[in-house]
């Protein structure tokens, strides 16, 4: 009985590892949660990626054969989170006000603005957070009327802003990549 | 010297034993059928017809791996090494009979995934296809993966259990070595 109980505790403890891995990334200074997006927008994203921990290493390993440079980039980051929504299914005002609110919160939280572009068909903001003069995370938010898409991307870890496109493309946020 | 009928008899027994060992892990997977039923229950109106469901277990991988290890061929030994990292593969292919649900199918919110530590890695909703990749980690390694692909024609459910990080590392290592060798 005692050994069964111990085995159960061991198994439960082991399977809760993902939760532990996730909560550790959530306390990372470079992490920004887009978890409430589905509720705010009222629809599910057309692309959702939550890549961290062992699955990130798996993706990096898989990238090694086709694109070793991308694999190296992925090994340096701790998490990649992507949400891409179809603009046609959304209320544009809701999207804009969400983007503005997150931008304000990021700046208040010590994030630096790298890009803030507002054009007729494109609206893009990029932020980085520096910790001890190193990049701890990056956020890109874009509203694109060419593709009728709005994308939210958060990369946790040390990433050169010029390389963001390679990671964005890998996870389906191709428009974000152009910046 | 033993009569030839005895040799034949022995070989037959050996073959049966071998087939038994190999097929010991091959069976229909109840879990895959349950996932399909869960989807139909969660999304009323959705209906799928079974084309085939198969589960290949450790018995198969161990036996094939053991045999491949003994073959005097480099590639066969490589495959044996990869098979050592796979525990179980379950595949279900269903024909989509009805898919009236127009909204957002959130398979990741199914209780079986929600309550058992599965994490959603990727979800893609294309115009005519939806893909979900869910996984579970154990000791910092992806040990379990569910891939679901749904379109107007089929529902495909795949579950792979094993040491998937290690498996990929081995494949990449071998491929990189081979590439360097022939460059």
């Amino acid at each position: 009985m005692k050994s069964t109980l111990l085995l159960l505790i061991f198994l439960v403890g082991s399977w809760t590892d993902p939760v532990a891995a996730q909560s550790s990334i959530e306390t990372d200074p470079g992490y920004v949660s887009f978890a409430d997006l589905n509720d705010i927008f009222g629809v599910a994203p057309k692309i959702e990626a939550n890549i961290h921990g062992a699955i990130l290493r798996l993706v990096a390993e898989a990238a090694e054969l086709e694109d070793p440079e991308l694999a190296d980039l992925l090994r340096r980051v701790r998490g990649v989170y992507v949400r891409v929504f179809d603009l046609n299914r959304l209320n544009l005002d809701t999207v804009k006000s969400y983007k503005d609110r997150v931008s304000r919160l990021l700046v208040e939280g010590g994030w630096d603005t790298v890009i803030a572009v507002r054009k007729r068909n494109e609206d893009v903001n990029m932020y980085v957070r520096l910790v001890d003069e190193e990049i701890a995370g990056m956020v890109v938010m874009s509203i694109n009327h060419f593709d009728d898409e709005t994308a939210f991307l958060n990369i946790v870890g040390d990433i050169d802003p010029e390389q963001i496109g390679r990671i964005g493309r890998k996870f389906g946020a191709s428009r974000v990549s152009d910046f | 010297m033993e009569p030839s009928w005895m040799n034949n008899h022995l070989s037959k027994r050996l073959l049966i034993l071998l087939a038994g060992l190999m097929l010991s892990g091959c069976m229909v997977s109840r879990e895959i059928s349950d996932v399909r039923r869960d989807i139909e229950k969660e999304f009323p109106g959705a209906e799928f017809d079974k084309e085939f469901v198969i589960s290949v277990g450790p018995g198969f991988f161990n036996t094939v791996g053991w045999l491949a290890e003994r073959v005097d061929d480099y590639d066969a030994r490589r495959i044996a090494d990869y098979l050592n990292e796979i525990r179980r593969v379950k595949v279900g292919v269903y024909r989509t009979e009805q898919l009236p649900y127009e909204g957002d199918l959130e398979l990741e919110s199914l209780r079986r995934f929600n309550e058992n530590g599965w994490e959603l890695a990727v979800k893609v909703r294309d115009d005519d296809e939806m893909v979900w990749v869910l996984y579970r980690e154990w000791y910092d390694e992806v040990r379990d993966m569910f891939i679901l692909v749904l379109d107007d024609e089929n529902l495909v459910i795949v579950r792979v259990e094993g040491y998937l990080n290690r498996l990929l590392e081995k494949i990449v290592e071998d491929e990189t070595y081979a590439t360097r060798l022939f460059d």
Side-chain angles (χ1 to χ4, degrees):
Chain A
M1 180 68 191
K2 199 178 167 188
S3 56
T4 314
L5 200 65
L6 279 172
L7 184 69
L8 270 173
I9 291 168
F10 170 73
L11 285 174
V12 170
S14 306
W15 283 123
T16 53
D17 266 354
V19 180
Q22 198 170 7
S23 46
S24 70
I25 195 98
E26 282 170 8
T27 56
D28 196 295
Y31 177 78
V32 173
S33 174
F34 291 126
D36 55 352
L37 262 179
N38 300 14
D39 291 335
I40 292 172
F41 290 172
V43 294
K46 63 180 198 178
I47 297 172
E48 175 175 349
N50 309 294
I51 311 294
H52 52 238
I55 196 84
L56 177 61
R57 286 199 305 283
L58 198 77
V59 174
E61 205 64 55
E64 181 70 46
L65 290 175
E66 284 188 356
D67 191 345
E69 275 183 42
L70 175 66
D72 278 345
L73 283 177
L74 290 171
R75 285 194 191 101
R76 286 213 302 271
V77 302
R78 291 186 291 282
V80 179
Y81 304 90
V82 179
R83 301 283 186 282
V84 179
F85 291 86
D86 185 348
L87 262 187
N88 295 321
R89 301 179 73 203
L90 302 175
N91 178 325
L92 192 59
D93 290 335
T94 312
V95 179
K96 282 183 173 170
S97 80
Y98 176 84
K99 194 167 119 351
D100 291 344
R101 185 167 63 86
V102 174
S103 298
R104 201 177 53 248
L105 287 172
L106 288 175
V107 173
E108 283 170 9
W111 288 69
D112 296 323
T113 308
V114 179
I115 292 172
V117 180
R118 224 172 251 260
K119 288 198 259 178
R120 202 163 67 91
N121 286 317
E122 264 177 322
D123 192 347
V124 181
N125 292 57
M126 184 196 279
Y127 302 89
V128 293
R129 179 158 205 184
L130 298 172
V131 175
D132 296 331
E133 296 187 13
E134 276 188 8
I135 293 177
M138 185 177 295
V139 169
V140 181
M141 298 183 283
S142 83
I143 300 173
N144 190 294
H145 295 283
F146 289 118
D147 293 336
D148 288 322
E149 267 182 13
T150 181
F152 298 82
L153 169 69
N154 174 214
I155 297 175
V156 185
D158 182 17
I159 169 88
D160 178 354
E162 285 184 13
Q163 300 289 346
I164 194 165
R166 305 189 73 156
I167 294 183
R169 266 192 297 276
K170 176 81 184 167
F171 297 103
S174 51
R175 268 290 172 180
V176 165
S177 325
D178 297 341
F179 293 86
Chain B
M1 192 167 166
E2 286 168 349
S4 61
W5 66 266
M6 200 168 176
N7 280 338
N8 283 341
H9 198 63
L10 260 175
S11 339
K12 268 185 194 166
R13 275 189 182 178
L14 259 173
L15 273 175
I16 291 166
L17 182 71
L18 218 60
L21 275 170
M22 285 177 73
L23 296 172
S24 61
C26 281
M27 55 186 79
V28 168
S29 165
R30 183 190 240 179
E31 187 192 22
I32 297 288
S33 310
D34 286 348
V35 172
R36 181 205 70 172
R37 256 193 299 279
D38 281 358
I39 296 171
E40 287 177 337
K41 214 160 86 183
E42 185 88 359
F43 308 108
E47 204 181 305
F48 307 100
D49 252 7
K50 186 167 89 178
E51 291 203 332
F52 72 86
V53 177
I54 191 163
S55 170
V56 183
F60 175 85
F61 292 111
N62 289 341
T63 314
V64 175
W66 184 84
L67 287 172
E69 262 170 29
R70 271 138 193 90
V71 176
D72 188 20
D73 179 78
Y74 173 71
D75 285 335
R77 281 199 298 272
R78 260 174 64 178
I79 288 165
D81 203 21
Y82 300 157
L83 290 177
N84 282 337
E85 307 299 350
I86 305 173
R87 291 277 80 82
R88 191 180 292 278
V89 176
K90 297 175 182 176
V91 181
V93 177
Y94 298 90
R95 205 173 35 255
T96 307
E97 290 296 324
Q98 283 188 66
L99 197 59
Y101 197 78
E102 292 282 309
D104 298 314
L105 287 170
E106 295 193 353
L107 294 192
E108 70 276 17
S109 66
L110 289 179
R111 217 166 69 186
R112 77 168 45 246
F113 296 129
N114 240 341
E115 292 179 356
N116 291 305
W118 289 93
E119 278 198 83
L120 176 72
V122 177
K123 179 166 91 173
V124 179
R125 183 175 47 79
D126 217 339
D127 288 339
D128 47 10
E129 189 180 73
M130 287 179 270
V131 180
W132 293 260
V133 179
L134 297 117
Y135 71 100
R136 290 200 287 195
E137 264 184 58
W138 200 357
Y139 287 109
D140 224 16
E141 183 161 9
V142 178
R143 292 282 297 273
D144 223 345
M145 194 176 267
F146 246 116
I147 301 161
L148 299 106
V149 182
L150 174 64
D151 62 23
D152 288 342
E153 286 176 10
N154 291 107
L155 165 68
V156 179
I157 306 170
V158 179
R159 181 174 179 185
V160 184
E161 287 174 54
Y163 299 88
L164 304 183
N165 285 74
R166 250 189 279 170
L167 171 67
L168 210 60
E169 273 165 29
K170 280 182 179 176
I171 294 171
V172 170
E173 210 172 280
D174 287 345
E175 289 298 323
T176 315
Y177 177 73
T179 313
R180 278 189 201 137
L181 211 63
F182 293 109
D183 265 354

